[in-house]
Amino acid sequence: RDKFNELLLKEDLHNEDLQFETSKGQQINVEIESSIYFVDRIKVIQCNIWDISKRRQAEIALSNNELRLQTLMQTIPELIWMKDTKGVYISCNTMVERFFGASETEIIGKTDYDFVDREIADAFRENDNIVMSAGKPITNGEWVNYADDGHRAYLETIKTPMYDSKGVIIGVLGIGRDFTERKQAEMTLLESEEKFKSIYESSNDA
């Protein structure tokens, strides 16, 4: 009744998502488009109704999948981010927030040049371009400083090109893993080997 009264006032009414119950007791989602016009001076109401239950279910499923993906991104310990082809951030997780010392809302829509020195940003951008040109995942390692607490870490980063449904590259997905302990162990071992080599070569004994 309320919708009917609203239609009388507006003469055109569009409702995108209403719940109806069928004669068999089934709950469905419908989209309704109603309008009032005159035919031979007689007021006529035309009402078109579409069952959008499947579309609505698909939208809910997609929303749930996005929520699960977002939860996964925010809870795993790696840095995860997505950029478009111009290097603009379109998504990131909590670890990236720590790295830049900024919230996700402050990062989205910006580039590396807004947060790190130009030399570092140039290196990040060059790596992105290499990945997109190669059309395949590429791994590289680098020492970085976290902006939130200033600690230094060695990240092994895997960057992968992202494609749309037509196979066109639309950006880069990046995952950065903290391998600081392993890198430090490798450096310690290398220093030990170099020290032993120096003693060995400088010794006068056979």
Side-chain angles (χ1 to χ4, degrees):
R1 184 64 185 179
D2 292 337
K3 295 296 180 184
F4 179 76
N5 292 332
E6 186 177 355
L7 175 62
L8 293 178
L9 291 173
K10 296 182 178 180
E11 295 189 351
D12 287 291
L13 192 60
H14 184 209
N15 298 105
E16 293 187 356
D17 191 5
L18 295 176
Q19 280 198 331
F20 273 20
E21 183 175 328
T22 67
S23 58
K24 295 181 180 181
Q26 181 184 3
Q27 295 290 332
I28 63 173
N29 295 83
V30 299
E31 182 176 340
I32 301 177
E33 193 172 89
S34 307
S35 58
I36 296 178
Y37 57 94
F38 288 89
V39 176
D40 296 331
R41 299 182 181 180
I42 298 175
K43 184 179 289 187
V44 177
I45 297 177
Q46 179 176 330
C47 185
N48 299 316
I49 303 176
W50 296 274
D51 185 347
I52 61 168
S53 299
K54 290 184 178 179
R55 188 184 77 186
R56 182 60 178 154
Q57 290 170 0
E59 291 173 348
I60 293 174
L62 178 61
S63 177
N64 289 338
N65 286 338
E66 290 177 347
L67 180 60
R68 283 193 287 268
L69 177 60
Q70 186 68 17
T71 301
L72 177 63
M73 283 184 60
Q74 298 301 335
T75 54
I76 62 177
E78 284 81 15
L79 289 83
I80 302 178
W81 66 91
M82 288 183 280
K83 304 177 191 174
D84 65 17
T85 55
K86 296 181 179 179
V88 177
Y89 282 90
I90 55 179
S91 181
C92 69
N93 70 347
T94 304
M95 294 302 293
V96 177
E97 291 180 323
R98 290 186 55 193
F99 176 63
F100 283 140
S103 66
E104 182 181 11
T105 54
E106 294 171 324
I107 297 171
I108 302 305
K110 296 182 180 178
T111 70
D112 294 310
Y113 293 93
D114 295 300
F115 301 100
V116 297
D117 294 337
R118 173 166 289 276
E119 182 179 353
I120 298 175
D122 283 341
F124 289 169
R125 183 60 181 155
E126 181 180 1
N127 289 337
D128 291 345
N129 289 332
I130 290 174
V131 170
M132 289 186 287
S133 297
K136 62 181 181 180
I138 292 179
T139 302
N140 58 73
E142 54 208 346
W143 285 97
V144 297
N145 293 315
Y146 279 70
D148 65 339
D149 59 8
H151 83 273
R152 186 170 173 77
Y154 183 83
L155 296 182
E156 185 176 274
T157 303
I158 301 175
K159 291 185 176 181
T160 305
M162 298 188 300
Y163 299 88
D164 64 11
S165 58
K166 297 181 180 178
V168 178
I169 291 180
I170 57 174
V172 173
L173 166 67
I175 301 176
R177 295 180 177 179
D178 190 337
F179 281 136
T180 306
E181 290 186 5
R182 191 181 76 177
K183 188 64 175 178
Q184 289 174 337
E186 291 175 354
M187 293 172 62
T188 300
L189 178 61
L190 181 61
E191 290 175 1
S192 178
E193 290 176 347
E194 289 293 332
K195 186 180 296 183
F196 175 78
K197 182 180 180 181
S198 176
I199 295 174
Y200 177 82
E201 292 179 347
S202 63
S203 175
N204 295 322
D205 297 327

